[in-house]
Amino acid sequence: MADQFSLYHQYNRLAGFIEKKTNDKYWLWKLTVFCALLSWCLAVPPYTVATASDAWAFIKVQSQDILHPTHFEVYVRRENMVMRWVLPFMYWITHSVVMILVIQAALGCGFLYLFLREIYRQTSDAVLTVFFGVALSNIFVFSWFLVDSAGYGDGYALFFLLLALLSRNPFLLFLFLQIAFFVDERAIMGSAYVILYWTTQELMRSNKIDNLASVFRHIFTTRTWTVIAAWTVYFVFRRYIMTTYFPDHSYSTVRAPVLLSDGHRWGFGISLWTSFEGFWLLLVAVGITLYHTRKRWLLALLLGGFVVLIISGIYVHDIDRALAYGFPFLMAGSLILSKLIPVSEYRKLVFGMAIV
């Protein structure tokens, strides 16, 4: 009798229930809708911000004349937005903040579906994918699609970065990256993490001896050169626009790390935690697994990239937004664990992540 009420027994009952519910053709879409609704209900997004945010006011100004926006002195840190053109373009098309937010939420569901589809392809385990979906949909990278009503637009950038990560067509890859870059400059760093995911994918697929030569050989692929081309085009075009139309432009936030100055430093720990929450378990497990399986160069590559992610995050006001662009690390971590540990053990880890 006592065994029937044990955690292990309840876990097996839950797994069995999920297996029955994931037998039909559209289970992944149903999971996406369930997770989106759960995330939205738990987040309780303050949509009143959509009518009060000065970001939306500046976006409306930009939509009228993208190259000659005015009233920088009225809005807070809007000089950072002069090369963020996607939301002004969306407002120019829709003339509606509400419609932009609805599209953002729809892109969020697309993001969640594509992410979970990739997890299922890695693991071939529907139960694990369900647990992963519950965990992913309740951390910042997804909930921000539903919560962001202030006009930052990161959801658009995250969605197109994911499309770039999944794309093998060089033209589409280039296009998706340019759209992401013109949403927010953080996407430039995010595209570097996309390269790290591709490198991890190739190294895990080839199962070659872990050495530096193998790592470099799998970094510089056709897709990586496409990303480098996208960077080059963006920076050349950006320099032309800035020197031609904004010659006296300056950024008020370019200085010492923002998060470590004044009172911001007191929020450093909670900002790091809330960016990944339960997924810190996955990241730690990946590090331990790579170390013990002697994949030291891959561990060094991913660890170096993650340190860059953290350092770049503390230079801005919104560290959780900056760290959200590191979502390729979560996908890479899942791929590594799905290849190096038994799926049954990985499932238990993801169950713990979902609870957290």
Side-chain angles (χ1 to χ4, degrees), residues 172-317:
L172 291 178
L173 171 57
F174 182 89
L175 177 62
F176 294 149
L177 289 176
Q178 292 300 327
I179 295 173
F181 295 166
F182 281 97
V183 175
D184 195 292
E185 295 83 356
R186 293 173 176 85
I188 299 169
M189 295 294 295
S191 61
Y193 311 138
V194 167
I195 294 175
L196 290 183
Y197 173 74
W198 291 334
T199 304
T200 302
Q201 190 178 49
E202 292 302 318
L203 287 170
M204 298 305 296
R205 180 181 297 156
S206 65
N207 201 28
K208 296 288 182 64
I209 297 174
D210 184 58
N211 57 55
L212 186 59
S214 178
V215 169
F216 272 99
R217 186 167 58 253
H218 287 96
I219 288 177
F220 293 102
T221 62
T222 301
R223 287 193 290 182
T224 297
W225 289 115
T226 303
V227 175
I228 293 173
W231 290 342
T232 303
V233 170
Y234 172 80
F235 282 116
V236 169
F237 181 74
R238 181 188 178 94
R239 181 172 178 79
Y240 168 75
I241 293 296
M242 296 301 291
T243 55
T244 305
Y245 296 96
F246 304 96
D248 300 319
H249 186 270
S250 62
Y251 291 94
S252 62
T253 55
V254 177
R255 53 187 179 87
V258 174
L259 202 69
L260 300 183
S261 64
D262 305 323
H264 291 288
R265 68 175 67 89
W266 302 113
F268 183 55
I270 193 65
S271 295
L272 283 178
W273 166 253
T274 54
S275 296
F276 295 118
E277 298 187 34
F279 279 86
W280 283 109
L281 295 174
L282 181 141
L283 295 172
V284 171
V286 168
I288 295 172
T289 302
L290 287 176
Y291 180 81
H292 283 287
T293 54
R294 299 186 179 277
K295 295 186 179 295
R296 308 290 169 78
W297 283 110
L298 179 56
L299 173 59
L301 180 68
L302 293 175
L303 184 59
F306 197 75
V307 169
V308 170
L309 173 67
I310 300 297
I311 292 175
S312 63
I314 68 175
Y315 269 85
V316 296
H317 280 84

Side-chain angles (χ1 to χ4, degrees), residues 72-87:
F72 285 102
E73 71 282 355
V74 177
Y75 308 115
V76 179
R77 297 195 303 277
R78 295 309 158 215
E79 75 280 0
N80 295 340
M81 296 173 62
V82 295
M83 289 296 293
R84 300 176 186 176
W85 291 356
V86 170
L87 286 193

Side-chain angles (χ1 to χ4, degrees), residues 30 140 209 246 286 307 319 331 348-349:
K30 293 178 181 178
F140 185 89
I209 297 174
F246 304 96
V286 168
V307 169
I319 188 172
M331 192 175 284
K348 294 173 185 175
L349 174 68

